Amino acid sequence: MSLGATTFGLTAAVRGGHLVRARRDHYVLPGTDHHLVEAVRIGGRLACVSALSSMGIFAFDASRTHVHMDHSMSRSRSPKDRFIPLTPFNRHGVQLHWHPLIDDNATEFSVGIIDALAQSLRCQEPGHALASIDNALHLGRIEEGDLSAIFAKAPERVCHLRELVDGSAESGQETMLRLIIGSTGHSCESQVSFEGIGRVDFVVAGCLVVEADSRTAHDGWEKHVSDRGRDLALARLGYMTLRPAYQHTMQRPELVAGAIAKLVSDRQRA
């Protein structure tokens, strides 16, 4: 209304497909991210992994909408229909968060990054939550000093993650690989540089290079050849190389851990 829109004009825009009425007195443009639309329709704001994903921070699974609700909120609605009151039976997979916010950077539509990361510690698998924090730190979206607030009210089961935070990780996959390597009990160096080859993600037990394979279907053959050239150069220096695919690292960590343990064990016995 502050922009001069009238009720008649807004209704006409909705009927003409130029606007979407998410909730009474709340309108969005067609094509607006459906997580945001659902959060507004319910009467809350984006939270947890939904908020992190909207900020460009790593979130392993942001397929479901996460919404922060104020305890004073009334007239909550179903995420799919603004005319139907919200009940436990019509949330359509939406995850609600009720903990009080811990910083004042929330907007009308989203919690701030500190709260989103704190919520993810309660909601995500521990390794995935750590990957989100690492990524936010690496991107400069938070500082080391923010960790106290993020972990202040974290469940005891994840408090140990604070000692594992490492902003040098360039992707969520790197964080998970670091945890997987740690689970094998072998020593590990990260971000190691080799003259004439460049930097590698990890060197395990002084003999195995482990790289986060970030290639996509669009990278093309040249990237494939470049990666294999690095592998050959490392082999000439006596290093084995392992490049787990993203899906293996994130969904089959036990498979990756077993491969690392076997390769190192065989090399050490040789």
Side-chain angles (χ1 to χ4, degrees):
M1 294 299 185
S2 62
L3 296 178
T6 64
T7 300
F8 175 80
L10 289 170
T11 299
V14 170
R15 289 176 177 172
H18 304 296
L19 286 176
V20 175
R21 184 183 282 115
R23 183 179 175 86
R24 182 178 180 180
D25 298 329
H26 290 77
Y27 300 84
V28 299
L29 293 172
T32 297
D33 180 75
H34 77 278
H35 296 302
L36 177 57
V37 175
E38 289 186 346
V40 171
R41 183 167 289 140
I42 286 172
R45 50 170 70 92
L46 285 178
C48 194
V49 293
S50 296
L52 292 174
S53 181
S54 73
M55 298 172 191
I57 304 300
F58 172 82
F60 172 66
D61 182 4
S63 59
R64 293 197 302 165
T65 303
H66 290 243
V67 180
H68 174 261
M69 301 293 290
D70 192 305
H71 282 282
S72 64
M73 180 63 198
S74 61
R75 299 176 63 84
S76 298
R77 293 292 181 258
S78 165
K80 302 300 182 184
D81 192 326
R82 64 188 180 88
F83 296 106
I84 300 177
L86 182 69
T87 73
F89 307 104
N90 64 7
R91 292 180 183 172
H92 298 280
V94 170
Q95 178 69 45
L96 301 183
H97 294 261
W98 295 92
H99 288 81
L101 300 182
I102 58 180
D103 73 9
D104 57 1
N105 289 318
T107 69
E108 182 181 357
F109 307 109
S110 177
V111 303
I113 190 170
I114 301 299
D115 278 296
L117 291 169
Q119 291 164 344
S120 77
L121 283 169
R122 305 185 192 102
C123 214
Q124 292 195 86
E125 291 292 326
H128 299 156
L130 178 63
S132 294
I133 294 173
D134 280 357
N135 190 233
L137 193 60
H138 177 74
L139 294 175
R141 303 294 298 277
I142 62 171
E143 299 177 352
E144 292 280 352
D146 294 320
L147 296 178
S148 294
I150 293 169
F151 281 92
K153 296 184 179 180
E156 185 177 352
R157 62 183 173 81
V158 297
C159 286
H160 70 284
L161 294 178
R162 180 170 181 176
E163 303 303 318
L164 301 177
V165 173
D166 184 353
S168 69
E170 297 181 350
S171 67
Q173 186 183 2
E174 280 191 33
T175 295
M176 290 302 296
L177 273 177
R178 188 175 78 245
L179 295 176
I180 290 170
I181 294 168
S183 73
T184 69
H186 292 297
S187 62
C188 172
E189 297 177 85
S190 61
Q191 305 300 325
V192 180
S193 293
F194 290 88
E195 185 176 356
I197 298 174
R199 189 177 59 183
V200 301
D201 294 329
F202 303 99
V203 175
V204 182
C207 64
L208 173 65
V209 169
V210 180
E211 294 261 56
D213 193 340
S214 59
R215 289 182 295 117
T216 69
H218 305 291
D219 284 337
W221 182 250
E222 289 185 4
K223 175 63 174 173
H224 177 86
V225 172
S226 174
D227 286 344
R228 295 303 172 262
R230 281 164 57 90
D231 294 347
L232 290 171
L234 287 165
R236 286 173 62 88
L237 296 176
Y239 290 91
M240 301 177 290
T241 305
L242 185 66
R243 294 178 179 272
Y246 177 89
Q247 291 82 352
H248 294 142
T249 299
M250 307 305 291
Q251 300 172 13
R252 297 287 308 279
E254 75 288 347
L255 180 66
V256 179
I260 291 170
K262 176 63 173 173
L263 287 170
V264 173
S265 176
D266 285 353
R267 173 60 65 89
Q268 291 178 337
R269 286 202 303 267

